Amino acid sequence: DDPDMDVDDINSFKTREFEVEGRFLAVSSATLSCSCPHAVPGLSPAAHTGDGTTDLIIVHNTSHLNYLRYLFRTAFHQSHPFNLPFVQAVRVTSWSFTPQEERKHSTWNCDGEILDNPQIFVNPHRQLVPVFARGVYNKRYE
């Protein structure tokens, strides 16, 4: 566990293994910034499609008001959402999620497709697919 990770950790990728246990309100994986006209910086502003990594963003169990603070910061970028004490963000080459209990408390949404299996393994590949993009891009958020 490394609860002290913040925005600086996401921008300085180092190879290491770690395990996080606990209850989570949200777990996100961003292989690209996920920028859109309503949230120009995106979910993870420094994420890049072709580098073979994904930004793992964990929102630890917190109040609904704190979760709304996280969502507000993500959408409007008044201050960085990764600096909230209940948000952990790290750049990884792969990650997996295994529920501690057999009960189904997890549902994953992968680009709009619902995955019912509560156990998941994510392994991004470096420059596997050529991507051509058009639209919102702001170099300021790199």
Side-chain angles (χ1 to χ4, degrees), residues 2-14 16 44 46 55-58 73 80-91:
D2 193 350
D4 298 325
M5 288 185 175
D6 62 15
V7 68
D8 294 326
D9 293 314
I10 202 84
N11 292 323
S12 61
F13 177 69
K14 301 174 194 90
R16 62 182 167 183
S44 190
D55 292 350
L56 178 62
I57 306 161
I58 302 169
R73 284 188 182 195
H80 209 295
F82 297 167
N83 287 334
L84 291 167
F86 53 90
V87 176
Q88 182 176 3
V90 63
R91 183 154 294 150

Side-chain angles (χ1 to χ4, degrees), residues 58-138:
I58 302 169
V59 180
H60 292 270
N61 200 25
T62 189
S63 69
H64 292 292
L65 181 61
N66 276 340
Y67 187 59
L68 285 173
R69 284 178 53 214
Y70 164 73
L71 293 175
F72 183 82
R73 284 188 182 195
T74 300
F76 300 107
H77 219 274
Q78 300 298 322
S79 56
H80 209 295
F82 297 167
N83 287 334
L84 291 167
F86 53 90
V87 176
Q88 182 176 3
V90 63
R91 183 154 294 150
V92 296
T93 55
S94 65
W95 64 273
S96 64
F97 178 86
T98 304
Q100 292 180 340
E101 304 160 355
E102 290 299 318
R103 294 176 281 168
K104 276 182 132 177
H105 283 117
S106 303
T107 301
W108 296 97
N109 180 330
C110 182
D111 290 335
E113 182 179 338
I114 303 298
L115 308 175
D116 289 326
N117 189 347
Q119 187 170 351
I120 190 168
F121 176 76
V122 175
N123 185 21
H125 297 276
R126 180 184 301 270
Q127 299 180 354
L128 184 63
V129 177
V131 176
F132 301 94
R134 171 184 290 177
V136 178
Y137 176 76
N138 190 334

